[in-house]
Structure formats: C-alpha cells, structure tokens
Amino acid sequence: MKRQESAEEVVRGSHCGHAGASAIRIRRTTPGHDLLRGLWRENPVFRQLLGLCPALAVTNTVANSLAMGTATFSVLVGSSLLVSSFKRVIPEAIRLSTYILIIATWVTIADMVMEATVPQVHKALGAFVYLIVVNCMILSRQEAFASRRPVGRSLLDAIGTGSGFILALFLMGAVREVIGYGSFLGHGLFGASYQPWTVMILPPGGFLAIGFLLLAFGWIGLRREARRKAREWSRLAVVKRAA
Amino acid sequence: MENVVWIFVSAMVVNNFTLFYFLGLCPFMGVSARVSTALRMGAADIFVLVVTSVCTWILNTFVLAYAPYLRLISFIVVIASVVQIVEMVIKKVSPRLFRELGMFLPLITTNCAILYLAIFQTNRGYGFFEGLAFAVGAGAGLTLALVLMASIRQETEFSSIPAVARGAALVFIIAGALSLAFMGFAGLLSAT
C-alpha cells in the first residue's frame, strides 16, 4: 500500500505520445475527488486529448454521440473493475497486453449487446465500436489508476472519467448537429428557412468543432486567470496602503 | 489490376485515414512538430500496416472462418505481437534507426489506424493483393497528412499567435482546413 500512496509518483500515463498527458501525478485523493475529477478538470477529451478518434468520428449527431459515449463508459467501468480486482496477479512485464485483452473482451460484449438491442445505432457507428479497444483513454486509466488503487476507488474513477467522456461527446454532437442539421436529437430548431452548414457534419466539421470548442474553453480559462490576478493585485495594493 | 490501383488512390487521398476517418490522431497531434520525425513515423506506420494486412489475410482465410467471435481479440493480439517483432528486428538490424524511432514504435500498437485497417479489410472482403494495396495506400495517406501538418506547424513556430489559440486548438483548426482541402479529392471517386 505504501507504493500506492507515495505523493510524488509519476506515472507514464499516455500511450499516445502527446504532451497533454505525458505524466499524470498521483496524489492522495478523496473518493469525491476521484469521482468528479474526470468530469471537467481532467476531462479526457478536452483536457487530456485522449480518445480523440471516436470524439471526432461519430459525433455528427447527438444520438450517435450518446450511444458511443455510453458504450465507451461501460467498457471503461468493466475494464477498471477487472483490472483493479486482478492487479495482484497480473505480471508487470505483460500488463499492457493483459489490459488490452480485458478491454477487447468487454468491447466484444458491448458490440454484441448493441447489435442485439439497438441494431440501427450499431450500424451507424460501424467499425468504430471495435475501435473502443484502442481508445487510449481507457488504457491510460488502467495504467494510471486501476492498476494501483483499490476496486472501489477505481470504479469511482472510471465512472467519473467515463461521464466526462460522455459529456465531451455530447457537447461535440450538440454543436455539430445544431449547426450542421439545424436540429437537436432529430427535432428541428430553426424552421424551414434555416440553411444548414453541411460542412459541420462532414469530417472537416469534426476538426473545426473541437478546435473552436477548445478556443472557447481556452478563452474562458485565460479570462478567469486574468481576473484572479487582478484580484490579487488589488489585495496587494490594499495591504500596501494599510502599511 | 485497375482495382488494386484504385484501392491505393482511394485509401491515400480520397478517404485519407487521418483527415477523413480521424484515425491515428494521437501521432498526428504528438509527432507532427518536425517534418523529419513525421517522415520516420510515417515509414514505421507503412511497415506495420503492411505486415498487419498480410497477417489479417492469413487469419481471415485460415482461422476466423471457424470462430468469427474471436475476431477483435485475435486482431489486437496479432497487432501487438507484430509491433513487438518489428521492434526486435529493427533493434537487431539497425540500432541507430531503433534509437531514432524510440518511443514511437510501441505506440503504434494503440494507433487506431492499424486495427481499423484489419477490420475494414475483413468487412470489404479484400483479397491478398487488394489488402496489400490498401495497406500501402493507407500508410502513404497517414504519412502525407503527418508531413503536411508538420510543415505547416514548423511555419507557425515563428508567427505571432494569440495566446488563446496556442497548442491543440490551433492544430485542430489547421487540421480542419487540411481536411476541407482533401474533400476536394472526393470528386475523383464520382468521376469514374
């Protein structure tokens, strides 16, 4: 247990090689923090840039985004459960292959369940259901969290990160469907006179949508930072005047 | 023969893996800072894609006809072992190249383009040579997108970009523009 709680342990969390997630620092955390962190502060798509392929490829409508998000969520929760339960018996040297096999099993199950229950959605998502296996978000949660934490915490973390993923896909799908089709979940929004921006539902629209969403979040972040600095300066000024 | 050429062109530019199917986005974001690295990454991608395509064909023909539910699991195991073997071979044959590629090699395992190629090839029922053309075309397309992106990013290094757009947001918007440009190739498909 000592190993798991050392405050400065840096985990090689990314299997994708981008700077955003090259190192994930493990700290002592509360259960609530484990659950909520993945939702926004460490959102897999917008903050860590993980799992981009499904986030761009199948988000041209809200319905598709939600289906993909739910499937990924279940695979992530299932894999975290298994990996954290069996972490003591998985040999260090072949751990990545073991995780991949566990994930692939869950994806096969998810694929069969979807084909049986919602065949139309399954057809719309196509091969991208299979590609959940190589979603680096799932593998990075196993390597960075589930393989070194108790089962309960790993489940909380998986639920939080999975929900963050659903949220991100929902946002992408909403932006693209509202602009690209002029509808939301298939209900028309702007009436017949609306000229849809077809490009938003085509591949370039995926890139543009996430680009502009990231711009918007970056702008909000910068403004918050500027306001915080201004507040600190004014506090400093007050202290100086008092002195 | 014409069919094989057509599959190659289609995989390379018309349905470019990165810009049309959003596959292999992680290296696209991570390894596209320099043109020289992008080229080497592309070469490694092409090699793994070709070997995977051959293995997929063998698996499909001799094994999976009897056990279709094992498809995903066997594909991913094959890809992981191919990457491992490629790594060992390169290490033995050319230690210099091995050092240069370094961490990019193992990352290819989780590159969705490779798995997608295996699944796509199965779904479309490609034969041996068609699969080969598809793999080389897809690899060339990945390399093309990577090199284009790297050249553009090298140019942006010296331009003044507003703080809010630096980093991922800019790369995505550039990729959107590239993807728009590649949509022009869609005319090739309907022309014939």
Side-chain angles (χ1 to χ4, degrees), chain A residues 140-163:
Chain A
S140 93
R141 281 344 281 165
Q142 310 312 322
E143 167 80 0
F145 203 96
S147 57
R148 54 193 73 227
R149 293 302 181 90
V151 179
R153 288 292 185 88
S154 303
L155 273 183
L156 284 180
D157 175 73
I159 290 171
T161 312
S163 312

Side-chain angles (χ1 to χ4, degrees), chain A residues 135-199:
Chain A
N135 189 328
C136 21
M137 172 193 86
I138 299 183
L139 197 59
S140 93
R141 281 344 281 165
Q142 310 312 322
E143 167 80 0
F145 203 96
S147 57
R148 54 193 73 227
R149 293 302 181 90
V151 179
R153 288 292 185 88
S154 303
L155 273 183
L156 284 180
D157 175 73
I159 290 171
T161 312
S163 312
F165 189 72
I166 296 184
L167 178 74
L169 257 66
F170 173 76
L171 273 180
M172 288 285 294
V175 168
R176 291 180 72 184
E177 187 178 343
V178 166
I179 302 179
Y181 284 110
S183 64
F184 184 82
L185 273 173
H187 302 290
L189 287 180
F190 305 121
S193 63
Y194 179 70
Q195 197 68 42
W197 299 18
T198 315
V199 67

